[in-house]
Amino acid sequence: MTELIPKPRGVVAATGEVRLTAHSRLHARTGTQGVGHWLSAVLRQATGLPLREGRGLDDAGGDGIGLRLDPGLGPEEYRLVSDRNGVLIEGGSAAGVFWGAQTLRQLLGPDAYRKAPLGRDRAWVVPYLTIEDAPRFRWRGLMLDVARHFMPKEGVLRYLDLMAAHKLNVFHFHLTDDQGWRIRIERHPRLTEIGSWRARTKTGHRASPLWEEKPHGGYYTQDDIREIVAYAAERHITVVPEIDVPGHSQAAIAAYPELGNTDVIDTTALSVWDTWGINPNVLAPTDNTLRFYEGVFEEVLELFPSQFVHVGGDECPKDQWRRSEAAQARIRELGLADEHELQSWFIGHFDAWLTARGRRLIGWDEILEGGLAKGAAVSSWRGYAGGIAAARAGHDVVMCPEQQVYLDHRQAPGPDEPVPIGWVRTLEDVYRFEPVPPELTPEEARHVLGTQANVWTEVMDDHARVDYQVFPRLAAFAEVAWSALPAPAARDFAGFERRMTAHYRRLDALGVAYRPPAGPLPWQRRPGVLGRPIDGPPPSR
C-alpha cells in the first residue's frame, strides 16, 4: 500500500496499522474544513464508513483522521503521521493538507477510488509510517484542448479529479481555436451560436482521406465555467483560460467576419474549420478587433480568478498581413519594422491591458518574436530554446516541450498505435524528462515556474481516446513535476514501473481507459486511420 505516485520526499515505516471502522471520526481544524469535506465524501462513498465529525484531534485519535495546519511547513508541504493515535495530516496550507489527503487515499488501496462500496467486508487500514513531502515545482500543469474535440462539462470535472489524484495543480483550459469556440461570451453571442460547431470533421491527420460527415460542437455556459472553476478550487487547482489571438481564430472570424482581413479575402465565406494544421486566416490588427477581444477578456476575467491568462500567440501566419493594406498602414502608423513586430504589438496591447487589471499574460513561445513585455510569461513548446531565451531575458517560463510532454504523440512505434502522431514518447521517456535546462544558471532557473503536459485533441474524438493518450504517461509526468528526482539517466525507472503495478489498479478503479503496458487493446486501435508519425528520436533541445 506504500507504492505511492508521485514518490514522496521521505517515508519512514513502522510496525502496526491504523484500522478505519464505523466508529472512526474525522476532525478538520480551522482552515482545513474544505479538505475535510472532500476527504470524508470520497472515503464515505468508497468505504461505506460514516466517518462522523470528531470534536477534536483527541476525539479523532486511535482509529480516526485529523487534519490541521502547521505554519512551519511550506505552502504545499505536508506531513502524514500514522501511529497508535490515528492518522494526522498537517500542511503549510489547506493545499498541503489536501495533497496529504491524496496520499492517504493511495495508502488505503485501489478500492478507495471507487464511487460505491463493493458490498463485501474488508479492512481499511493505513500502515504506521511518517511521510514528509513537498512539490519541486509550483506550476504542475495539464493542458486540455477542448476546441478541436469538445469535452462535455462532466468530462472536464472528471479530469480535474484525475489531476488532483496525481497532485497536479494547474489546468490550462484551451477554449478557442479554428475548429471551435467553447465559452459563451454574452456580449458576442454568435461566438457560440456559430463558432461552437462545425459541419463535419477530418478523421485522423489532415492528409487522411476520411471524414466524419456529421456536425460536431458544444460549448460551456458561463455557469458551467463557474462550476468548473469552483470544482477545481476545491481541489486546489487553478484554471488558466486560453483565448487564442491573433492566429488560430477562424471560428471567431466565421462568427464575426469583420474580425478578419476583409481587404484580402472574403471573410463572410469562412466557416468553422473542419480540418487540422496551421490556418492562414488570422485576426486583422484593427482597433475594432482590439475592442472586440477586450470585451471577450472582460467576461473571461469575471469568470476566472487565475493570475495568468493565456492568449495563445502561436502559429500566426503573416501572409494576409503582408497583402493587407490595412495591416501595412498599421505597421507604418506604429513605426514597426515588419509583420513580426506587428504581432508583438498585438500581444503587447493585451499584456498591458491585462496588467492594468492585475493579471499576467502568458503565451506560447512565439510571443518572444519581436520583443515581449517584461511581465509576460512564456509556455515553451517548441523545444527548450524558447524557455531558455525567455528565462535569460527575465521572463517566467512554463516548460512544455513538444518533444517530451505532448501526450498526443504516439507511445510506441508499432502499427497498432491508434492514429500515430509525432515522435515515440514512451512512459520511460516521459519519466526521464527534465524541465529545467542545464544551460540555465541558478538565477535564470528560478524563472522556471514549473512544467506542463499538453493534450491536443485533433485525433481524440472521445474521452476514451483522451484517456489512452494521457495515461499512464501522466503518472510519470506528475512524478517529474512533484518529486525531487535525480538526473534523468540516474532515475529509477524500474522502481517507478514497480509502483505503477499498484497504480494501474487505482486507474482501473477510477475507470481510466489507459494504454496497457503490453500495448493497445483491440478496441483502442484505429486501423486504417492515417496519422503523422515522425521517425527517429526527437531533438533533445
Side-chain angles (χ1 to χ4, degrees):
M1 296 304 178
T2 56
E3 304 293 334
L4 301 173
I5 290 178
K7 186 177 182 179
R9 182 177 64 194
V11 180
V12 177
T15 301
E17 62 186 23
V18 174
R19 285 180 168 257
L20 300 182
T21 70
H23 302 291
S24 298
R25 293 180 179 270
L26 189 153
H27 174 67
R29 275 196 174 178
T30 302
T32 70
Q33 294 94 331
V35 180
H37 174 77
W38 173 86
L39 182 60
S40 63
V42 297
L43 293 187
R44 280 175 191 150
Q45 70 180 10
T47 67
L49 301 177
L51 289 176
R52 297 180 180 88
E53 182 179 353
R55 293 186 296 275
L57 288 177
D58 292 338
D59 188 40
D63 64 354
I65 301 169
L67 310 176
R68 71 182 179 194
L69 301 180
D70 180 348
L73 298 175
E76 291 188 278
E77 188 175 8
Y78 72 89
R79 181 189 304 112
L80 186 155
V81 178
S82 171
D83 59 19
R84 61 185 178 81
N85 297 312
V87 179
L88 174 63
I89 301 172
E90 299 172 293
S93 69
V97 175
F98 181 74
W99 305 131
Q102 291 288 357
T103 297
L104 172 61
R105 198 180 184 193
Q106 288 198 25
L107 292 170
L108 286 167
D111 289 344
Y113 289 86
R114 296 192 179 276
K115 297 291 187 184
L118 296 182
R120 57 175 180 256
D121 291 337
R122 60 152 294 171
W124 296 98
V125 299
V126 182
Y128 282 3
L129 46 65
T130 298
I131 296 176
E132 295 185 335
D133 201 9
R136 179 185 179 191
F137 294 110
R138 59 188 173 109
W139 185 302
R140 306 180 302 279
L142 175 70
M143 189 228 70
L144 181 63
D145 165 26
V146 297
R148 274 52 177 270
H149 277 100
F150 179 65
M151 180 178 284
K153 180 189 68 178
E154 286 303 315
V156 174
L157 300 180
R158 173 176 175 266
Y159 258 83
L160 291 169
D161 279 328
L162 292 173
M163 287 179 63
H166 292 82
K167 298 185 172 72
L168 300 175
N169 68 342
V170 177
F171 179 55
H172 177 167
F173 206 7
H174 184 80
L175 288 163
T176 74
D177 217 296
D178 300 299
Q179 296 85 2
W181 185 285
R182 305 297 180 207
I183 178 173
R184 174 76 176 181
I185 302 298
E186 299 298 342
R187 72 190 71 187
H188 302 308
R190 295 207 304 273
L191 287 171
T192 44
E193 291 170 359
I194 295 172
S196 69
W197 67 276
R198 55 185 182 261
R200 65 175 188 168
T201 299
K202 173 66 70 175
T203 300
H205 181 250
R206 59 182 175 272
S208 167
L210 305 177
W211 296 86
E212 185 179 45
E213 298 285 352
K214 68 177 184 181
H216 176 86
Y219 66 90
Y220 309 103
T221 67
Q222 295 202 351
D223 279 346
D224 291 337
I225 294 292
R226 292 183 181 97
E227 181 181 355
I228 288 167
V229 169
Y231 195 86
E234 289 176 350
R235 287 147 184 80
H236 299 276
I237 295 171
T238 299
V239 184
V240 175
E242 180 179 350
I243 306 294
D244 259 308
V245 296
H248 287 288
S249 297
Q250 183 161 319
I253 297 169
Y256 292 91
E258 65 272 20
L259 296 174
N261 295 284
T262 57
D263 58 345
V264 174
I265 63 164
D266 178 10
T267 56
T268 63
L270 295 178
S271 58
V272 178
W273 213 24
D274 55 13
T275 189
W276 322 120
I278 299 176
N279 190 305
N281 298 304
V282 302
L283 297 173
T286 63
D287 289 341
N288 174 67
T289 300
L290 298 180
R291 299 293 89 75
F292 183 97
Y293 273 86
E294 287 171 359
V296 170
F297 282 117
E298 282 179 5
E299 295 192 26
V300 166
L301 296 192
E302 291 174 359
L303 296 168
F304 295 92
S306 165
Q307 177 190 16
F308 287 97
V309 175
H310 208 290
V311 300
D314 62 317
E315 297 180 330
C316 178
K318 310 298 190 295
D319 291 348
Q320 289 185 358
W321 288 353
R322 292 187 185 101
R323 293 157 48 205
S324 166
E325 180 50 39
Q328 293 301 311
R330 175 124 282 185
I331 288 174
R332 292 191 297 271
E333 170 197 336
L334 296 169
L336 304 176
D338 55 22
E339 292 78 17
H340 293 290
E341 287 195 5
L342 183 62
Q343 178 172 343
S344 179
W345 164 82
F346 199 107
I347 296 297
H349 173 87
F350 286 103
D351 178 67
W353 190 92
L354 289 167
T355 299
R357 288 155 181 80
R359 307 297 183 95
R360 290 184 66 187
L361 179 143
I362 185 169
W364 303 112
D365 55 51
E366 285 95 329
I367 68 174
L368 289 164
E369 299 166 3
L372 183 60
K374 185 176 181 180
V378 172
S379 300
S380 184
W381 76 274
R382 294 179 300 175
Y384 287 85
I388 292 169
R392 286 176 172 168
H395 296 288
D396 288 339
V397 179
V398 176
M399 296 302 301
C400 49
E402 65 167 330
Q403 301 93 329
Q404 311 297 329
V405 289
Y406 267 36
L407 300 186
D408 50 317
H409 285 205
R410 58 195 173 130
Q411 301 181 65
D416 289 336
E417 288 303 308
V419 198
I421 299 295
W423 289 285
V424 173
R425 293 288 84 193
T426 65
L427 182 67
E428 182 173 359
D429 291 329
V430 175
Y431 190 67
R432 298 194 189 279
F433 162 59
E434 172 49 49
V436 179
E439 296 93 328
L440 296 180
T441 67
E443 179 62 31
E444 292 165 346
R446 279 193 276 273
H447 285 290
V448 179
L449 299 177
T451 184
Q452 178 172 290
N454 292 342
V455 183
W456 301 102
T457 62
E458 288 93 336
V459 298
M460 302 181 212
D461 51 2
D462 59 32
H463 88 271
R465 279 288 290 121
V466 176
D467 279 6
Y468 179 92
Q469 292 300 134
V470 171
F471 290 99
R473 292 183 295 181
L474 192 70
F477 172 80
E479 185 147 311
V480 169
W482 177 276
S483 305
L485 299 177
R491 291 177 187 173
D492 181 12
F493 180 68
F496 175 77
E497 280 192 303
R498 185 189 66 250
R499 286 181 285 121
M500 277 301 300
T501 301
H503 200 64
Y504 285 121
R505 295 197 297 273
R506 298 178 192 124
L507 297 178
D508 288 333
L510 286 164
V512 176
Y514 57 84
R515 181 189 188 275
L521 299 167
W523 57 86
Q524 293 174 319
R525 301 166 189 161
R526 294 288 190 278
V529 180
L530 183 66
R532 185 182 62 90
I534 304 175
D535 292 331
S540 60
R541 286 287 179 266

